[in-house]
Amino acid sequence: MPEARVAIVSGAARGIGAAIAKRLAADGLHVAVIDLRQDDTAATVAAITEAGGRAIGIGADVADGPDVRAAVTRTVEELGTPTVLVNNAGILRDNLLFKMADDDWDAVVAVHLRGAFLLAREVQRHQVDARWGRVVNLSSTSALGNRGQANYAAAKAGLQGFTKTLAIELGPFGVTANAIAPGIIATDMLRAAADRLGITFEQYLEGAAQQIPVRRVGRTEDVAAVASFLCSDEASFVSGQVVYVAGGPQA
């Protein structure tokens, strides 16, 4: 029986990251669940192990080089060589441009872009050695521009360029790189948006659904299903692409 592949999923304590980690585990991969605080990874790890999978939780700041190196080293020691990487870690610091503080810009760019860079640089050497690998970066429809999200939109657009460059550089070594750009997905981030608008979460979802061609908001499982395919052997000829999981076309 072939040895199970090993995946690293960042920002996997909850939401989209947790759904992807669980789906990859269900696909037979061993999963390193990374989030800022290790205690926060416990629920995702428990869900995977209770379903018969194998996972470990790791606390790491993805924007910190030593933290990232330590996280990958621990993954190798406890699970095996990582050849699948899902860069999902992200934060929001929304504000209109004239109100946005330097720290709000720097923090968002650091987690999304620097974090993806540091993890990809660390993991790619294992992928190149194995002559096989998958990188999936989580972008967003906000990459196309979104009021009050200059930092987030710039970071998510940057991830698309980063993804295409990885595809070019790593393709000769059997490594593919793709991005997923979710639209409105029912997560805690949306709850925060509803709170800012002074409406209930349900009201927010109902209003959002009316603007989406399929007339519903996304589920985390919708994104996880696409990640599952992009991390599979069947996706070996799909690389450098941005897949919008948004319930309709995006300009």
Side-chain angles (χ1 to χ4, degrees), residues 3-7 28-31 81-84 132 134 231-233:
E3 186 176 347
R5 286 177 174 143
V6 176
L29 282 74
H30 296 166
V31 184
T81 302
T83 54
V84 173
W132 190 96
R134 299 287 184 264
C231 291
S232 70
D233 284 319

Side-chain angles (χ1 to χ4, degrees), residues 155-219:
K156 290 304 193 183
L159 279 170
Q160 295 189 13
F162 180 62
T163 298
K164 292 175 183 294
T165 301
L166 292 185
I168 293 168
E169 292 189 7
L170 299 179
F173 304 98
V175 181
T176 66
N178 293 284
I180 300 174
I184 297 177
I185 309 295
T187 66
D188 288 340
M189 279 189 175
L190 285 193
R191 288 185 185 275
D195 289 342
R196 287 196 300 273
L197 293 172
I199 60 177
T200 68
F201 187 46
E202 290 69 26
Q203 288 172 327
Y204 186 96
L205 297 183
E206 289 172 9
Q210 296 309 307
Q211 307 303 314
I212 300 171
V214 300
R215 291 298 187 269
R216 71 168 176 89
V217 299
R219 297 182 290 263

Side-chain angles (χ1 to χ4, degrees), residues 3-9 24 29-34 56 58 68-86 118-135 170 175:
E3 186 176 347
R5 286 177 174 143
V6 176
I8 291 176
V9 184
L24 294 182
L29 282 74
H30 296 166
V31 184
V33 178
I34 295 181
I56 59 171
I58 301 175
V68 167
R69 286 190 291 275
V72 174
T73 296
R74 186 177 161 200
T75 299
V76 172
E77 292 172 349
E78 298 189 29
L79 293 179
T81 302
T83 54
V84 173
L85 171 63
V86 179
L118 290 174
L119 274 166
R121 187 178 64 179
E122 195 66 24
V123 171
Q124 61 81 29
R125 60 191 180 90
H126 298 291
Q127 296 171 323
V128 169
D129 286 346
R131 308 293 294 190
W132 190 96
R134 299 287 184 264
V135 179
L170 299 179
V175 181

